[in-house]
Amino acid sequence: MGEGYTIAVAGTSRTFPCAADDTLLGAALRAGIGIAYECASGGCGSCRVDLCDGAVDLAYPASPGLKPRDFERGRRLACMSRPTRDCAIRFREEAAAIPVTPPRRRVARLEARRPVTRDIDEFDFAFGQEAPFLAGQFALLQLPGLPSARAYSMANVPGGRHWQFMIRRVPGGDATRILFDLRPGDLVEIDGPYSTAHFRADSPRDTVCVAGGSGLAPVLSVARAALADTGRARCRVHFFYGARTLADMVTPEALGLADERVTFHPVLSEPDGQGWPGETGYVHEALDRLLPGEWADHDFYLAGPPPMVEAVRRLLLLDRGVPADRVYYDRFF
Ligand code: FES
């Protein structure tokens, strides 16, 4: 951690400290200030702030979350901005963004790695002490040589020292090259937890998890937490998982979801010639066909490719009338 700066919240008397190597978003959340955000990765645009005074460096100048016109108007993405002097910023605050557990930057050790599907591995990192998070949240992994951190969701049930990530091997990907070269015992700086799309343990409603591709981890953590919660012994979990081919599919047994309270719905979008007897098409279509009962009596947790999340979101909010406060997701682009 280097030199620090003071960030003033324009129009108020509030300030918060920000280390020179921290982002405006990270520093605000560490100070308990709820800047609206989703991906913390420069993609969604939710964390736009007006830079009223001061100067920042951008970790990723070409971030898709900020249009050139907004940049010219003095707007910046809080998740990509590191101050180079004291600043004043104006931004949208959300009560839900005030973190239950403020994110911290800590070093974790890779304990183990195991394959989940043909191109997704589970990475098990351990901290030196307990590292709380809420099911469904993600963390930023600072990988050597990359200009900005990469976001990955925890898949395990919170509690203890371990954060387990399910990470897709992306051919030619910079993060893939570094992560899949790690060996047990290697150290990585991890910043987290982030996300407001976390499991609501106090809800009496059944849980519906809808995931596609590498969106598996956060909803798996939610499902596992729902099943582990003794106060919800009578609640059900509906788990929809969309994969492209049979080789990409997972089983409830492999995920620790073989439980009579879980209804598992695997869906293949490209089943051709593989003898697949199950659901085919897009995962939102399967959800539309298969989820029984009154939809507003459920909480929905979504994760996956942006078109999938958007299709499910529209189905829930526009077609099925599910209240927006029962639908949880982060948009990653
Ligand atoms: Fe900053 Fe998504 S662009 S939170």
Side-chain angles (χ1 to χ4, degrees):
M1 196 159 308
E3 191 182 352
Y5 299 101
T6 298
I7 312 301
V9 182
T12 78
S13 57
R14 289 179 299 165
T15 62
F16 61 90
C18 184
D21 61 350
D22 202 359
T23 64
L24 294 175
L25 176 66
L29 297 177
R30 290 180 229 290
I33 293 174
I35 293 189
Y37 76 101
E38 289 183 46
C39 70
S41 306
C44 72
S46 302
C47 69
R48 276 193 304 269
V49 302
D50 290 319
L51 183 62
C52 306
D53 192 22
V56 297
D57 269 349
L58 300 175
Y60 179 28
S63 297
L66 191 69
K67 295 187 174 73
R69 193 181 59 211
D70 282 335
F71 183 87
E72 286 161 16
R73 289 177 177 165
R75 299 201 174 111
R76 300 291 183 270
L77 296 177
C79 68
M80 290 288 109
S81 299
R82 297 191 183 107
T84 55
R85 56 187 175 94
D86 292 346
C87 295
I89 58 174
R90 183 181 292 111
F91 52 87
R92 184 164 60 92
E93 280 191 82
E94 283 184 351
I98 298 172
V100 177
T101 301
R104 287 179 56 189
R105 298 192 286 183
R106 286 168 288 201
V107 171
R109 176 187 301 274
L110 180 64
E111 298 273 305
R113 191 180 122 199
R114 72 174 183 92
V116 178
T117 69
R118 66 173 172 175
D119 62 354
I120 297 177
D121 276 15
E122 180 183 84
F123 289 70
D124 181 7
F125 285 95
F127 295 95
Q129 55 190 303
E130 189 163 342
F133 71 94
L134 298 169
Q137 290 192 298
F138 65 86
L140 300 173
L141 273 59
Q142 191 66 60
L143 303 173
L146 299 189
S148 59
R150 299 297 168 98
Y152 298 101
S153 296
M154 288 72 88
N156 55 310
V157 177
R161 298 185 300 116
H162 290 254
W163 290 10
Q164 295 167 344
F165 304 94
M166 288 184 174
I167 298 177
R168 179 185 290 279
R169 189 191 297 266
V170 179
D174 290 340
T176 290
R177 178 178 46 76
I178 298 167
L179 282 162
F180 283 79
D181 269 357
L182 292 178
R183 296 284 172 264
D186 287 348
L187 304 177
V188 171
E189 183 185 308
I190 298 180
D191 179 11
Y194 288 88
S195 176
T196 61
H198 54 73
F199 179 51
R200 268 46 179 190
D202 56 355
S203 168
R205 291 178 286 275
D206 284 350
T207 301
V208 182
C209 297
V210 188
S214 56
L216 183 60
V219 297
L220 179 56
S221 180
V222 166
R224 287 169 165 173
L227 296 173
D229 186 343
T230 53
R232 302 169 57 89
R234 290 166 54 195
C235 285
R236 297 201 59 80
V237 174
H238 300 270
F239 199 99
F240 291 80
Y241 183 63
R244 201 160 57 83
T245 70
L246 191 53
D248 303 312
M249 188 44 80
V250 289
T251 65
E253 290 75 18
L255 299 178
L257 297 181
D259 186 297
E260 62 181 15
R261 292 168 292 167
V262 178
T263 308
F264 190 80
H265 300 282
V267 186
L268 288 190
S269 61
E270 295 179 16
D272 298 349
Q274 300 174 56
W276 172 249
E279 293 294 322
T280 60
Y282 291 114
V283 71
H284 70 280
E285 298 168 338
L287 175 67
D288 197 22
R289 282 194 300 272
L290 299 174
L291 184 65
E294 178 55 53
W295 282 36
D297 291 342
H298 300 76
D299 292 322
F300 293 83
Y301 298 89
L302 324 178
M308 184 222 91
V309 172
E310 181 58 18
V312 178
R313 198 187 68 82
R314 292 179 68 86
L315 171 68
L316 298 176
L317 301 182
L318 303 182
D319 299 350
R320 294 294 194 139
V322 176
D325 63 358
R326 296 175 192 177
V327 182
Y328 304 104
Y329 58 90
D330 292 311
R331 292 172 304 151
F332 286 87
F333 294 91

